[in-house]
Amino acid sequence: MDINEFWGVIDAARSATTAAKPFDEALVDELAGRGAEDVLGYQAHFDDLRQAVYRWDVWAAAYLVGGGCSDDSFMDFRAGLIAAGRHWYETVAADPDALADHPAVAGGEGAPSDADFFYEGVNYAASDALKRITGGGTEFQELWQRYRAQREAPLVVVDDMGEEFDFDDDEEMVRRLPRLAARYL
């Protein structure tokens, strides 16, 4: 699966999302309709994209939007950012303060819902889909370890999270994320 196919899976799941079927369930359905190799390819891209935004500036944006953000919450935030689609992912990756333009932030009252950004269930979509494909008989981790061992290298390697700063320093947050700070501080 290449990166365009990955984003196609995200878009298809977003299109299949309804009030009765949340995005994470639509994503599992979309992935389960593919073969195990595609699910593993999806997971590789998902991991790479989630790692690429493991940065202090993105974490600060999550901190503002969420009214705080633990390390577990930040993992869920990055999954939610991917679930928001390619446009929002790339926009926020380039400028975390641009999250202020997202409809859930710009037009919402108070904090966005967890499903808008802090979307834990998206982290498990590939393993849930693979369980459905294999009937639950083959463990995701076992297949994933074999897949990773055959893979040459990650598509994205991030060794530097950027400059660390104090998320509780309002002046620093205003300086670094002025639009989000104006909304949440």
Side-chain angles (χ1 to χ4, degrees), residues 4-126:
N4 292 320
E5 290 172 297
F6 171 89
W7 287 116
V9 167
I10 296 293
D11 289 344
R14 289 176 55 77
S15 293
T17 299
T18 65
K21 183 185 284 190
F23 174 80
D24 59 320
E25 292 177 20
L27 181 57
V28 171
D29 288 348
E30 178 66 26
L31 289 168
R34 299 166 171 269
E37 191 71 19
D38 273 356
V39 173
L40 295 169
Y42 164 89
Q43 184 66 46
H45 286 292
F46 181 83
D47 286 352
D48 290 343
L49 290 166
R50 191 173 52 189
Q51 182 62 31
V53 290
Y54 188 71
R55 302 187 332 240
W56 292 115
D57 58 347
V58 176
W59 201 334
Y63 189 89
L64 286 171
V65 169
C69 187
S70 68
D71 54 348
D72 284 344
S73 292
F74 187 46
M75 184 169 67
D76 298 343
F77 176 84
R78 292 176 288 142
L81 186 57
I82 293 167
R86 188 176 205 160
H87 167 76
W88 283 109
Y89 175 88
E90 290 176 351
T91 298
V92 173
D95 176 14
D97 201 34
L99 190 58
D101 295 330
H102 190 282
V105 173
E109 292 296 321
S113 73
D114 284 351
D116 288 324
F117 296 111
F118 298 88
Y119 208 147
E120 181 181 12
V122 176
N123 289 306
Y124 310 109

Side-chain angles (χ1 to χ4, degrees), residues 2 22 24 42 66 69 74 121 136 144 147 168 171 176 180 182:
D2 68 23
D24 59 320
Y42 164 89
C69 187
F74 187 46
W144 178 239
Y147 180 86
D168 291 317
E171 288 180 19
R176 292 176 184 261
L180 284 172

